[in-house]
Amino acid sequence: MTLSDIANDYVDDLGLRPATLDLEFVQRLNRAHLTHYTFNSLSVVLAQEMPLDVTHLHNKIVTRRRGGYCFEHNKLALHVLSELGFDARLLLAKVVYNRDTDVPRTHRISLVTLDGDDYLLDVGFGPLGPRHPVKISTPEVQQQGNEQFRIVNVERGELGLQVYKDGDFFTLYTFNLHHYSEAECTPAHFYSHKSPDAAFVNNLVIAKKSDNQTESLRNGTWQRTDNGTVTEHTIASEEQLNTVMKEVFDLEIDLATAAFLFKKFVRPSLNQ
């Protein structure tokens, strides 16, 4: 497939025709991507190769429905937007989770400019990520379904993406508007899926998000948030893990793989 074919197939797969160069289309893309393709660490925890060429990403995410994490999801989405003619480019962010800490830029996001306004697009952050593009030029709260997001100035030219969580605004990550190259993603991507200290290396993480419902799994805990109501379940067996991965997250994983994941990531969490 050509790069143009990949973009067209992605658009068709998500039912995004007609593809017009406006904010409504980017909003539709954001929602549809999160609904159809899972955020997960499967390739990381199974020690699979994770090349970032667009052909591989399309095959993995769109054709095989295996999902991925930020360097995969957001690169594919950026490629599609660029092929369609949007003014969009790569940004890199620091995941801080509301801490005052200095960490490397290990999260990939996209900047989309429409009618003179800049928007943050992120289809690869997992259960806490935004469902719609977030306008950057305003500090006002932006309602997205039953969630609220805002972007605030942090310091030294850094901006922070915040979500309203547990009664207050919580900073997910910080970023700036510098121009980054694909080459700068290489060390961050390598760290994120190879370092023994990386969160994705040490945790089985899966998430899928629709308009008012979020499904997420982290090791032995499966959580569903439905219109703001949270229901939590404990994964008690490899068979249950296999069923949840198939029926909730649409991931076709054989029982042997589920057993391996249960033994390595779920069972230890049950004993904590």
Side-chain angles (χ1 to χ4, degrees):
M1 298 178 76
T2 67
L3 295 181
S4 180
D5 289 337
I6 287 171
N8 287 327
D9 188 65
Y10 171 98
V11 169
D12 289 339
D13 189 59
L14 295 184
L16 296 176
R17 301 289 184 187
T20 52
L21 302 187
D22 58 16
L23 178 59
E24 182 184 358
F25 177 83
V26 183
Q27 291 172 332
R28 290 168 57 209
L29 182 150
N30 200 152
R31 293 196 308 271
H33 190 112
L34 297 182
T35 300
H36 285 77
Y37 309 135
T38 64
F39 174 88
N40 68 67
S41 62
L42 277 178
S43 292
V44 181
V45 298
L46 294 175
Q48 296 172 341
E49 292 300 314
M50 296 178 64
L52 294 180
D53 63 275
V54 172
T55 300
H56 172 83
L57 296 179
H58 171 266
N59 180 57
K60 179 185 179 186
I61 296 172
V62 179
T63 304
R64 297 173 53 224
R65 289 294 197 275
R66 294 285 288 191
Y69 72 166
C70 70
F71 287 101
E72 300 169 301
H73 283 295
N74 281 320
K75 180 168 183 177
L76 180 61
L78 177 60
H79 166 75
V80 171
L81 290 173
S82 298
E83 281 290 317
L84 293 175
F86 282 90
D87 181 1
R89 62 182 174 89
L90 155 72
L91 295 179
L92 291 173
K94 299 179 179 182
V95 179
V96 296
Y97 283 131
N98 223 39
R99 299 166 297 164
D100 182 12
T101 182
D102 186 23
V103 294
R105 297 187 189 277
T106 58
H107 182 53
R108 176 180 182 137
I109 54 180
S110 299
L111 176 74
V112 183
T113 303
L114 290 160
D115 298 323
D117 290 318
D118 291 333
Y119 295 86
L120 182 155
L121 175 72
D122 190 351
V123 295
F125 194 73
L128 293 177
R131 292 179 171 91
H132 299 161
V134 183
K135 191 173 183 178
I136 291 176
S137 61
T138 174
E140 296 178 0
V141 174
Q142 300 175 54
Q143 193 77 35
Q144 298 190 6
N146 56 9
E147 295 180 316
Q148 295 179 323
F149 292 88
R150 70 181 184 185
I151 291 180
V152 297
N153 290 308
V154 182
E155 60 179 352
R156 297 188 298 274
E158 290 287 309
L159 301 168
L161 174 67
Q162 296 186 330
V163 63
Y164 194 76
K165 179 177 179 290
D166 300 328
D168 202 357
F169 277 96
F170 180 97
T171 302
L172 298 173
Y173 52 77
T174 64
F175 64 99
N176 56 45
L177 303 183
H178 294 175
H179 285 262
Y180 293 93
S181 69
E182 290 292 337
E184 290 173 279
C185 292
T186 301
H189 171 54
F190 184 85
Y191 171 85
S192 297
H193 78 288
K194 291 291 188 182
S195 171
D197 298 323
F200 291 118
V201 173
N202 293 291
N203 294 279
L204 173 62
V205 178
I206 312 174
K208 205 166 190 180
K209 194 164 188 172
S210 58
D211 281 347
N212 284 302
Q213 185 179 84
T214 301
E215 301 277 6
S216 63
L217 184 143
R218 186 178 181 89
N219 299 324
T221 302
W222 163 33
Q223 188 176 90
R224 172 177 291 161
T225 303
D226 197 344
N227 287 302
T229 301
V230 179
T231 306
E232 193 168 280
H233 306 271
T234 298
I235 301 296
S237 68
E238 55 197 47
E239 290 82 8
Q240 184 187 10
L241 176 63
N242 192 44
T243 298
V244 168
M245 292 176 74
K246 286 183 178 180
E247 297 184 0
V248 176
F249 297 104
D250 299 321
L251 292 167
E252 289 297 327
I253 302 297
D254 59 65
L255 186 56
T257 301
F260 166 79
L261 295 171
F262 183 86
K263 180 179 180 181
K264 186 172 183 179
F265 297 102
V266 178
R267 185 176 291 157
S269 71
L270 298 178
N271 297 326
Q272 293 178 356

